[in-house]
Amino acid sequence: MLFLTSPMTLKQIFFTVFLIACVSSISYSQTNTKVIDVNKDIDVVRVYEQVVREGYGTPFIYKHLAIAYYYNSEYSKAITWFQKLFSVEKNTDPEIDSHYRQALKAVAAANLLKSKKNIY
């Protein structure tokens, strides 16, 4: 049994218990919240292609489509978008130029391999 020497210590004990209960409930409520990422399921490539089909294509969109297809190893589609980008804007980015050249090489190598298979 606790021996309390003054009513002040009883108030301090109740205040401490109340404070701990409040902090616990706040931390528990914050750990149970789920953050929902609304952009998680959006396929940006499909959205950009729809924008281009509707006639609102920009160099920014062409560049991002080309890069997206390049990194997905869809080099023929990447080349199409790189060429569209280069037709409306002069390329000054060496990284874009490198990606374009790599995509051209990959498509050429795939075509060469296909033609060799057709010979045999």
Side-chain angles (χ1 to χ4, degrees):
M1 185 167 178
L2 283 174
F3 292 103
L4 302 175
T5 58
S6 71
M8 189 64 173
T9 56
L10 183 60
K11 285 182 185 178
Q12 288 175 345
I13 291 173
F14 283 130
F15 179 73
T16 305
V17 170
F18 177 72
L19 184 64
I20 291 172
C22 288
V23 169
S24 296
S25 67
I26 290 171
S27 66
Y28 177 75
S29 68
Q30 288 179 352
T31 57
N32 284 339
T33 58
K34 276 189 160 182
V35 177
I36 299 172
D37 184 8
V38 295
N39 295 324
K40 182 176 85 174
D41 295 330
I42 295 176
D43 184 5
V44 177
V45 171
R46 285 188 12 212
V47 172
Y48 281 162
E49 285 180 339
Q50 180 66 33
V51 168
V52 171
R53 276 193 298 273
E54 292 175 1
Y56 299 105
T58 64
F60 174 84
I61 291 174
Y62 302 148
K63 178 181 176 181
H64 284 280
L65 282 169
I67 291 171
Y69 280 121
Y70 174 81
Y71 282 117
N72 285 332
S73 301
E74 297 181 51
Y75 300 116
S76 60
K77 289 181 181 180
I79 289 171
T80 302
W81 291 111
F82 279 125
Q83 290 172 345
K84 182 73 172 172
L85 171 65
F86 299 152
S87 72
V88 295
E89 180 178 271
K90 185 176 192 278
N91 182 31
T92 58
D93 187 356
E95 186 176 358
I96 296 295
D97 187 52
S98 173
H99 290 331
Y100 177 61
R101 283 187 280 117
Q102 289 295 329
L104 287 173
K105 288 178 186 176
V107 169
N111 289 340
L112 181 64
L113 186 61
K114 237 187 248 184
S115 68
K116 283 186 178 182
K117 284 184 179 179
N118 289 338
I119 292 174
Y120 297 113

